């Protein structure tokens, strides 16, 4: 059996560059690193063996099976691939901002695996990102969990097909501005936001009932009941009520967070993660008790009224109150240094190394429902790994190599500078993007195109 | 609108009418005699006569009996190909009127019409064969086109039109496919690509349900009556797989997304407008989708503007990437051929004047001439479901032909006639420099001491009388140039014009110059043989003919 | 008195995170000036090396002594054993105090109507009570240049210390006229102008700028010759740049624009500082040759081009310094200026080096702004802007324990900290009925 196993391993170990359509899985041995497992403590001078994309062994003095190359990580740190629970990188569309509920929208439809932001995220150690619908709508579209397998042209190659379904909700200033103040459609106030959500869920219950009734009747002889209209929008809301989809809710103010917690209690929904949630700290006990936690910024505040009364200690307070807490970027710029953002919880709140690292690994994995697959260095998990020069929580840390499923996708020393996958045949002058705020912060992208005329101040200064 | 077509219709009745414009053709029977005929792609070509009547090919062969009413087109120096077929285009299509927004308009639930969802609209309602675009494409050899109505994500039903006489009913098929694309609506749902895809699914699913509802209603009593919306009614043939969806998808991601929808829902799919598709050839192949690629290659402005000196290494690297991308774009068609994918061309967004240039670019980058011709003829015929009627030159098929001065895809080949729906269209042949060796404007010193530089005095005999002037010729940097004076057509004195495309081959001198007359610009050609100080030849004016010209070298220049 | 304070400091140390000093229910701790002795720290002077077991005496708003055996006579003693003293950190470019909530236009005061408004003053507009000021200074950033932005000449920037109740109390002794150099780049992903149009627009903007400059020159000439000119505040302010009385901050980022700007200032004999300089690394030799100092940042920013190496913005400052350019760093931020130390760490890690990075946020900006006699290092005679930390202030692990600005001991509190204190353990907590 053992011999068989090694032969199999040897055979598999050879294969890294495979056919276009298949997902690449690699094998390698990382030697002599300080391994930060996140869930099972830190291991000095240890090795991690990866075979066919899976971590198969962690220990000291491991030997590489035939055909498996070794990487000397002496003096370096190895941590799990970083997971960003709020991103818009790799999406051609962010906001279908034309209706307050657009649950039928699928971000998987608009994934673009050639966006350079994916490589730049890899260069910051991020291996998984939650590619989300924007925050223009109360109920946005269904998100896509992506694995950063850079270099492919096929969107299917970077979508994490076995990740659970998630959907974007948004409360507060963004939907009320887009729909109420911008277009005369509910909601215009936070009262309206709650009404829209409750209306949506109730309509979904009715929809569900109508279809159940029809499906039962159509098998009966002499049935005269006709099919109700099909609505993927309402069907998706019904799926949320049936616990099939995790709600990720963009929110800021404590009162609206509390409002949603009451709504989900009324509808018996358990799977909710609050996003941004700058005032989450004011209702930390409730978030801890009733939800799958919060995914927050390290220190962004004051760009809107609803984040004016924030604190950089938000993550620390949530963590100490027992809420699953993660740190996200919501930005193509910030995603490149999430390890640094997590480290800020040590300045603002004195969190331990383990607590801080968990915020960008196992905690977001839990919030995305993929904690059995990624988020820590444990035998059996997918080999999403990052090698750091310097401890990741040091401001001077520099990521060196990033692996997804055991395949190296980022190598600081070996990668060529120009990583663009394709270049336009007619490009005369390469575009230069200067301090392009609209490039980095995309939560409200596509909304400006949607409005023919809007206040200049809103557009220019808007971040989220 | 339909009314317009009726107004201009030629009476098709058997008995002829008087035509005071004198433009109506005298017969509908033509015989192209003794031409080199290429019946289908791959045909090496053979001398034959083609007989057509009333828009149908009556025969192709070497010993046909020609009826007495057949007008003969002497094909001795001509080459005949099946008329080109445009797989999908917008020639002749006018933009529909903007739909007025209703008073109770809500942007999150707009009426289908306002949101660009109008699958019931017919291309035939907005098509006019009299448009200049139709003329341009016909001139490029096209005889049949599938025209797509203008609009939003589901603009309407396409039609197959013959590019024949505009005043006749040119519709071969009024309802060929349902057009679809990823265009979103401005300021209302669906406002983005993601919305369009969701809406497409929604329309499909609900149409399927309405069909089910109608079936139930028809078979049972006591059932609530179905109320299919115009969108659903128009979409039913798609769900029932009777009508294909013609999806416009230019980029690789768009192609993937259209094919993904097809896989998910199961409708018949034709892709059109492909521009960047090299990386999805395997996806297209495995899905079995026929494609219509854009009849255009990327313009080379950026390649041409790349500087050779004074640029940094970084810029050089950028140039290399752009050039690589450009080269790869030209190779794509060849890759389709290699993969064995059924493909034709789409004229949407392409320029008729660039057709030959585009085809030559594709051919010099690997596309075989046979495949190029197939993409112009038999392939689109198959894709459009009209291969029994068009695509080859065979007895019984539609009389759609292209008559050229040389084999297709050669540098000097020009189109002399296009016959569409049995109507003959003639085109002017430009005389280019006669021999291939005489590279005009770049030859070195005059061969054999033939004196050409200097001032020539010339006279020309035209029906209007004798006219003349001076021709001044000089060689600069190996290029023969100069100018000519002539009697000003507007009346008094002499006008002057620079000489273009001058060349000297052996003893024959030829050049062109432009004359402005009556608001138009005519290109006049002079060609003559030089003997010592005398030149004798012809002066030709387009659409007027040739006239004898004589010239004497009055002041030879010293340099020679 | 001193002993109580000494043990309190010890308790403070043990009580990570930072809590306000001597917090009594209801009492508000104010900034206090006086005589302070910071005892027995590792003093990172920046200009005179790192001194171990050294003390610093502050009085009358100044650093009066730096040494090993200083008398604590009449001074409040703060035991800084095991801690580090750094000069107050300087941010070379922000909009701090000029905006409160950026999505609320009523609170946005750094841009006005008109392309040429150099006479508009950032200093008087600064809101000394902006919430962001309290949030910023506890991170160790004590001094910032706050800069108007918008049109060609959007206004006059000012150097401010982050303490004081009026702009005059905050003023740090340096003003400069800001200029946004006409750009020839694409503005962003939504800029769909053709390449030719961009070139044309750039040329037009450059001509406009030159015309305005000529106008200012004429104004100055006529004034010098004694003419009594009608009120023209814009030209009046620009003429101060021409005479050299005020420096000119030129915001310029793309490589070709930087080269154009270098050409533009040639022969003008004015005091120039380039700001932004995102693509400075591409033309670092030319900038060094022209001897123009640079304030660059934000360091944590996306590359300007799709083809750029991913870490170009991190490495930019280092490459400029290597070519011999004098580099200061900025965040170009409004409410997160507190992150400057971290930006500096990134610049250090990607090529600038720790020592140069520290200089780039202390003595370099001080020198570039002509206030190096007052700020930028821990030296006797300079103003008392300094910070006491548990370690390298660029590291997130370190805590900033004390901040002194202009000799005032700053309360280590702000709304973020107060909210932390209130909500870490909320009372009532989770009340489930």
């Amino acid at each position: 059996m053992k011999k068989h196993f090694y032969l199999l391993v040897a055979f598999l170990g050879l294969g890294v560059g495979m056919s276009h359509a298949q997902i690449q899985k690699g094998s390698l041995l990382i030697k002599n690193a300080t391994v930060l497992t996140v869930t099972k403590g830190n291991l000095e001078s240890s090795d991690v063996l990866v075979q066919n994309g899976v971590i198969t062994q962690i220990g000291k003095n491991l030997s590489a099976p035939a055909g498996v190359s070794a990487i000397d990580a002496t003096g370096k740190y190895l941590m799990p691939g970083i997971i960003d629970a709020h991103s818009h990188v790799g999406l051609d569309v962010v906001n279908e901002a034309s209706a307050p509920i657009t649950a039928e929208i699928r971000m998987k439809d608009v994934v673009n695996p050639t966006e350079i932001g994916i490589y730049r995220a890899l260069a910051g150690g991020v291996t998984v990102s939650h590619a989300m619908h924007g925050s223009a709508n109360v109920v946005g579209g269904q998100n896509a969990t992506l694995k950063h397998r850079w270099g492919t042209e096929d969107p299917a190659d970077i979508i994490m097909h076995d990740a659970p379904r998630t959907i974007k909700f948004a409360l507060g200033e963004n939907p009320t501005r887009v729909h109420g103040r911008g277009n005369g459609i509910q909601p215009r106030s936070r009262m309206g936001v709650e009404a829209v959500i409750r209306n949506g869920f109730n309509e979904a219950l009715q929809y569900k009932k109508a279809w159940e009734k029809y499906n039962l009747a159509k098998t009966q002889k002499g049935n005269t009941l006709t099919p109700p209209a099909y609505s993927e929008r309402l069907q998706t809301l019904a799926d949320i009520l049936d616990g099939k989809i995790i709600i990720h809710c963009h929110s800021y103010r404590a009162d609206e967070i509390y409002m949603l917690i009451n709504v989900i209690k009324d509808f018996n929904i358990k799977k909710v993660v609050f996003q941004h949630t700058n005032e989450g700290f004011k209702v930390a006990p409730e978030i801890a008790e009733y939800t799958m936690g919060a995914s927050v910024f390290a220190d962004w505040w004051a760009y809107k009224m609803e984040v004016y009364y924030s604190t950089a200690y938000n993550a620390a307070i949530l963590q100490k109150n027992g809420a699953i807490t993660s740190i996200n970027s919501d930005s193509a710029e910030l995603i490149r240094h999430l390890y640094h953002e997590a480290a800020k919880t040590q300045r603002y709140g004195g969190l331990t190394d383990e607590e801080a690292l968990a915020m960008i690994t196992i905690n977001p994995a839990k919030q995305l429902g993929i904690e059995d697959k990624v988020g820590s260095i444990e035998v059996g998990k997918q080999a999403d790994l990052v090698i750091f020069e310097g401890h990741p929580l040091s401001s001077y840390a520099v990521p060196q190599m990033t692996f997804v499923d055991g395949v190296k996708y980022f190598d600081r020393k070996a990668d060529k500078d120009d990583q663009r996958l394709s270049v336009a045949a007619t490009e005369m002058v390469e575009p230069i993007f200067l301090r392009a705020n609209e490039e980095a912060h995309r939560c409200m992208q596509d909304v400006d195109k949607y409005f023919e005329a809007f206040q200049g101040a809103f557009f220019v200064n808007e971040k989220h | 609108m339909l009314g317009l077509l009726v107004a201009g219709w030629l009476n098709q009745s058997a008995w002829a009418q008087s035509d005071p414009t004198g433009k109506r053709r005298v017969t509908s029977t033509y015989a192209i005699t003794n031409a080199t005929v290429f019946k289908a792609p791959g045909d090496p070509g053979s001398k034959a006569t083609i007989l057509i009547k009333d828009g149908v090919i009556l025969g192709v062969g070497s010993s046909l009996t020609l009826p007495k009413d057949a007008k003969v087109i002497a094909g001795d120096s001509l080459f005949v190909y099946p008329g080109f077929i445009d797989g999908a285009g917008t020639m002749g299509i006018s933009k529909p009127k903007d739909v007025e927004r209703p008073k109770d308009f809500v942007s999150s639930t707009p009426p289908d019409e306002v949101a660009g969802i109008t699958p019931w609209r017919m291309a035939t309602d907005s098509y006019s064969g009299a448009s200049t675009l139709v003329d341009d494409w016909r001139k490029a050899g096209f005889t049949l086109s599938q025209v797509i109505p203008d609009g939003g994500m589901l603009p309407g039903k396409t039609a197959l039109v013959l590019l024949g006489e505009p005043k006749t009913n040119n519709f071969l098929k009024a309802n060929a496919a349902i057009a679809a694309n990823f265009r979103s609506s401005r300021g209302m749902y669906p406002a983005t690509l993601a919305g369009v895809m969701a809406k497409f699914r929604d329309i499909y699913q609900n149409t399927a349900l309405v069909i089910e509802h109608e079936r139930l209603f028809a078979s049972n009593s006591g059932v609530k009556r179905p109320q299919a919306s115009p969108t659903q009614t128009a979409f039913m043939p798609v769900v029932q797989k009777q009508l294909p969806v013609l999806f416009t998808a230019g980029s690789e991601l768009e192609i993937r997304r259209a094919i993904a929808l097809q896989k998910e829902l199961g409708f018949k799919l034709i892709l059109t407008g492909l521009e960047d598709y090299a990386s999805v050839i395997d996806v297209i192949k495995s899905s079995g989708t026929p494609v219509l690629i854009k009849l255009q290659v990327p313009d080379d402005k950026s390649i041409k503007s790349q500087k050779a000196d004074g640029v940094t290494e970084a810029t050089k690297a950028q140039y290399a990437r752009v050039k690589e991308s450009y080269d790869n774009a030209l190779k794509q068609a060849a890759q389709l051929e290699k993969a064995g994918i059924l493909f034709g061309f789409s004229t949407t967004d392409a320029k008729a004047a660039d057709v030959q240039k585009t085809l030559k670019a594709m051919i010099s980058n690997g596309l075989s001439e046979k495949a190029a011709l197939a993409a112009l003829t038999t392939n689109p015929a198959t894709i459009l479901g009209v291969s029994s009627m068009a695509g080859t030159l065979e007895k019984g098929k539609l009389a759609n032909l292209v008559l050229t001065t040389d084999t297709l895809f050669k540098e000097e080949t020009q189109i002399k006639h296009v016959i569409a729906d049995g109507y003959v269209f003639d085109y002017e042949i430009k005389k280019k420099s006669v021999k291939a060796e005489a590279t005009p404007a770049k030859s070195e010193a005059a061969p054999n001491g033939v004196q050409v530089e200097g001032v020539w005095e010339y006279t020309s005999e035209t029906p209007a009388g004798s006219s003349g002037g001076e021709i001044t010729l000089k060689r600069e940097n190996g290029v023969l140039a100069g100018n000519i004076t002539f009697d000003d057509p507007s009346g008094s004195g002499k006008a002057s014009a620079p000489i273009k495309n001058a060349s000297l081959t052996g003893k024959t001198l030829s050049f062109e110059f432009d004359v402005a007359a009556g608001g138009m610009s005519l290109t006049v050609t002079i060609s003559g043989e030089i003997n010592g100080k005398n030149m004798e030849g012809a002066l030709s004016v387009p659409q007027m003919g040739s006239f004898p010209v004589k010239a004497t070298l009055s002041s030879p220049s010293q340099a020679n | 008195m001193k002993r109580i304070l000494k043990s309190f400091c010890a308790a403070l140390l043990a009580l990570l995170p930072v809590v306000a000093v001597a917090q009594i229910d209801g009492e508000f701790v104010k900034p206090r000036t006086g005589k302070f002795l910071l005892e027995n720290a590792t003093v990172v002077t920046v200009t005179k090396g790192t001194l171990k077991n050294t003390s610093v005496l502050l009085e009358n708003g100044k650093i009066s002594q730096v040494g090993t055996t200083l008398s604590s006579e009449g001074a409040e003693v703060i035991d800084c054993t095991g801690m580090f003293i750094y000069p107050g950190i300087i941010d070379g470019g922000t909009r701090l105090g000029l905006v409160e909530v950026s999505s609320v236009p009523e609170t946005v005061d750094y841009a006005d109507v008109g392309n040429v408004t150099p006479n508009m003053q950032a200093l008087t507009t600064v809101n000394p009570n902006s919430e962001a000021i309290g949030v910023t200074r506890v991170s160790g950033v004590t001094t910032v240049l706050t800069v108007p932005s918008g049109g060609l000449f959007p206004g006059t920037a000012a150097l401010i210390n982050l303490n004081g109740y009026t702009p005059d109390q905050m003023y740090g002794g340096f003003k400069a006229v800001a200029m946004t150099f006409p750009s020839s780049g694409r503005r962003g992903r939504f800029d769909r102008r053709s390449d030719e149009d961009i070139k044309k627009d750039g040329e037009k903007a450059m001509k406009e700028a030159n015309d305005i400059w000529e106008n200012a020159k004429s104004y100055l000439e006529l004034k010098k010759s004694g003419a009594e000119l009608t009120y023209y505040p814009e030209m009046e302010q620009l003429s101060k740049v021409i005479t050299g009385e005020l420096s000119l901050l030129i915001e310029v980022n793309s490589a070709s624009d930087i080269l154009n700007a270098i050409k533009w200032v040639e022969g003008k004999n004015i005091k120039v500082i380039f700001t932004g300089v995102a693509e400075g690394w591409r033309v670092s030799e030319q900038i060094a040759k022209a001897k123009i100092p640079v304030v660059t940042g934000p360091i944590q920013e996306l590359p300007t081009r799709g083809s750029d190496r991913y870490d170009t913005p991190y490495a930019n400052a280092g490459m400029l310094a290597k070519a011999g350019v004098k580099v200061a760093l900025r965040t170009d931020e409004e409410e997160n200026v507190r992150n400057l130390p971290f930006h500096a760490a990134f610049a250090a890690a990607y090529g600038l080096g720790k020592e140069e990075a520290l200089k780039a946020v202390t003595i370099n900006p001080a020198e570039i702004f002509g206030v190096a006699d007052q700020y930028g290092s821990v030296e006797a005679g300079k103003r008392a802007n300094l910070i006491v930390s548990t370690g390298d202030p660029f590291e997130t692990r370190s805590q900033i324990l004390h901040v002194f600005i202009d000799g005032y001991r700053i309360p280590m509190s702000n709304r973020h900290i107060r909210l932390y204190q209130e909500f870490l353990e909320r009372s009532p907590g989770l009340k489930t009925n």
Side-chain angles (χ1 to χ4, degrees), chain A residues 238-254:
Chain A
D239 288 349
I240 297 174
L241 294 170
D242 287 343
K244 296 181 184 161
I245 308 180
I246 308 173
I247 298 176
H248 278 254
C249 185
H250 158 121
S251 50
Y252 287 113
R253 277 245 304 260

Side-chain angles (χ1 to χ4, degrees), chain C residues 142-212:
Chain C
T142 59
T143 313
V144 310
L145 186 71
T146 196
V147 188
S149 89
L152 180 63
F153 292 104
T156 299
L159 188 69
I160 51 171
N161 291 305
L162 302 187
N163 186 46
Y165 293 96
T166 71
D168 290 327
Q169 288 177 352
M170 297 171 74
Y171 182 51
F174 171 74
K175 278 188 188 177
V177 172
M179 176 186 187
T180 314
F181 200 75
S183 169
S184 61
R186 207 168 281 279
R187 286 193 208 114
R189 67 196 276 137
F190 298 119
D191 183 348
R192 301 234 182 275
R193 295 175 294 164
S194 72
D195 289 327
E196 298 92 58
D197 278 345
I198 291 181
K199 187 159 174 247
K200 258 195 233 124
D201 286 348
E203 282 167 4
K204 194 165 135 222
M206 196 67 244
K207 177 163 189 309
E208 221 177 281
N210 284 329
D211 288 344
I212 292 165

Side-chain angles (χ1 to χ4, degrees), chain A residues 20 92-93 95-100 102 104-107 109-114 153-155 183 185 211 214 222-233 418-428 430 446 449-452, chain B residues 101 106-109 186-199 201-202 205-206 209-210 212-213 216 220-224 252-253 256-257 264 279 282-283 298-299 301-303 305-306 317-319 321-322 325-326 329:
Chain A
H20 202 60
D92 278 345
V93 169
N95 269 304
E96 173 60 53
S98 55
T102 55
E104 73 280 8
I105 300 293
R106 307 180 194 176
M107 300 322 283
D109 278 346
V110 295
V111 168
N112 180 353
T114 66
E153 311 252 359
D154 187 351
N183 237 1
I185 302 175
W211 270 96
Y214 169 73
N223 164 55
T224 57
L225 202 59
T226 52
Y230 174 77
S231 164
E232 194 167 315
R233 183 176 292 181
D418 184 355
Q419 281 288 325
R420 293 175 299 170
L421 293 184
S422 63
V423 168
T426 50
E427 183 183 276
M428 281 222 260
E430 194 185 341
D446 303 318
K449 281 196 286 202
Y450 174 61
F451 290 110
E452 270 95 328
Chain B
R101 289 189 186 181
V106 178
S107 54
S108 54
T109 49
R186 276 206 73 91
M188 67 187 93
Y189 185 89
T192 67
L193 163 69
V196 167
M197 290 182 75
K199 186 70 188 176
R201 286 189 188 101
D202 186 67
Q205 301 288 26
N206 279 302
L209 285 176
V210 163
E212 170 61 27
H213 188 162
L216 193 65
N220 288 17
S221 63
V223 174
K224 182 177 92 168
E252 287 132 328
L253 283 171
R256 283 184 197 273
R257 286 163 186 158
E264 192 186 316
S279 75
D282 51 343
V283 178
D299 81 67
K301 248 198 309 194
S302 58
I303 307 293
S305 72
Q306 287 184 0
Q318 289 322 300
Y319 283 167
R321 287 215 67 178
V322 176
S325 177
Y326 178 80

Side-chain angles (χ1 to χ4, degrees), chain C residues 39-183:
Chain C
E39 240 180 10
N40 199 26
T42 305
V43 180
V44 182
T45 66
V46 175
T47 45
K48 302 238 151 59
T50 299
L51 313 166
K52 290 213 185 299
N53 305 105
T54 304
S55 305
V56 181
L57 182 66
L58 314 175
E59 60 183 325
N60 299 321
K62 292 209 168 138
I63 301 171
S64 70
Q65 286 180 65
V66 179
T68 43
T69 46
L70 301 186
S71 158
S72 57
E73 177 87 43
E76 220 177 287
V77 176
I78 300 173
D79 181 7
C80 296
T81 312
M83 299 183 227
F84 296 77
I85 297 178
Y86 284 76
I89 295 170
I90 303 173
D91 190 324
T94 71
R95 284 177 296 286
L96 185 60
L98 300 178
V99 51
E100 200 62 24
V101 178
S102 48
S103 79
V104 180
E106 290 83 354
T107 70
V108 177
D109 292 312
Y110 51 74
D112 213 292
V113 175
N115 208 20
V116 182
T117 55
N119 51 308
M120 294 204 182
Q121 296 287 333
L123 182 62
T124 42
T125 307
V126 163
N127 177 2
N129 304 297
S130 166
E131 207 59 51
I133 288 177
V135 167
T136 304
R137 62 193 186 183
V138 299
S139 69
V141 177
T142 59
T143 313
V144 310
L145 186 71
T146 196
V147 188
S149 89
L152 180 63
F153 292 104
T156 299
L159 188 69
I160 51 171
N161 291 305
L162 302 187
N163 186 46
Y165 293 96
T166 71
D168 290 327
Q169 288 177 352
M170 297 171 74
Y171 182 51
F174 171 74
K175 278 188 188 177
V177 172
M179 176 186 187
T180 314
F181 200 75
S183 169

Side-chain angles (χ1 to χ4, degrees), chain B residues 406-453:
Chain B
D406 206 334
T407 57
L408 261 187
F409 310 129
K410 268 213 193 127
E411 188 65 46
E412 330 79 59
T413 304
Q414 295 177 61
I415 294 176
K416 189 139 191 257
H417 305 281
V418 171
I419 302 178
D421 195 27
Y423 286 87
V424 179
F425 296 86
D426 307 313
Y427 300 105
E428 185 210 326
I429 300 301
K430 289 203 185 81
K431 279 207 170 57
K432 298 271 178 80
S433 46
V434 180
K435 293 230 173 60
E437 318 93 77
T439 40
K442 287 277 187 204
S443 39
E444 299 303 313
N448 303 329
V450 175
Q451 175 78 1
V452 69
E453 286 183 78

Side-chain angles (χ1 to χ4, degrees), chain B residues 147 180 346 380 476:
Chain B
V147 289
S346 159
E476 284 162 26

Side-chain angles (χ1 to χ4, degrees), chain C residues 277-422:
Chain C
V277 197
E279 293 202 334
W281 61 278
R282 294 194 132 95
V283 291
S284 56
E285 308 228 329
Q286 292 92 318
I287 301 175
K289 194 154 153 232
K291 292 201 179 40
I292 298 173
V294 159
V295 177
T296 185
I299 305 296
Q300 292 169 357
E301 182 51 78
L302 285 172
T304 55
R305 304 187 193 197
S307 60
D308 274 350
R309 196 178 152 76
Y310 75 95
D311 61 354
T312 309
Y314 302 160
N316 187 31
M319 292 195 266
L320 284 165
K322 207 180 284 186
V325 180
K326 193 176 192 96
V327 176
L329 302 181
R330 70 168 193 185
T331 55
D332 196 26
E333 261 284 349
E334 295 160 6
E335 68 269 347
N336 266 336
V337 174
R338 58 182 165 181
N339 286 332
L340 180 66
F342 308 140
H343 286 237
F346 269 64
Y350 284 82
L352 186 56
K354 286 187 185 177
E355 213 179 294
E356 281 304 312
L358 180 58
K359 283 165 70 179
V361 296
T362 51
I363 195 64
N364 285 1
E367 283 172 357
I368 293 171
F369 301 147
V371 294
D373 54 330
Q374 309 266 337
Y375 306 107
S377 59
V378 185
E379 289 180 72
K382 291 204 175 179
R383 305 235 22 111
N385 279 19
L386 34 83
I387 63 179
V388 180
S389 61
T390 59
D392 179 351
F394 289 7
E395 285 277 29
T396 45
R397 278 193 182 116
S398 308
Q399 293 295 336
I400 314 295
L401 298 173
H402 306 284
V403 174
F404 289 86
I405 302 179
D406 261 349
Y408 275 78
R409 185 170 177 180
I410 302 303
M412 296 306 284
S413 182
N414 52 45
R415 188 158 70 206
H416 287 218
I417 294 170
R418 289 194 294 279
L419 287 170
Y420 176 64
Q421 292 166 328
E422 181 177 355

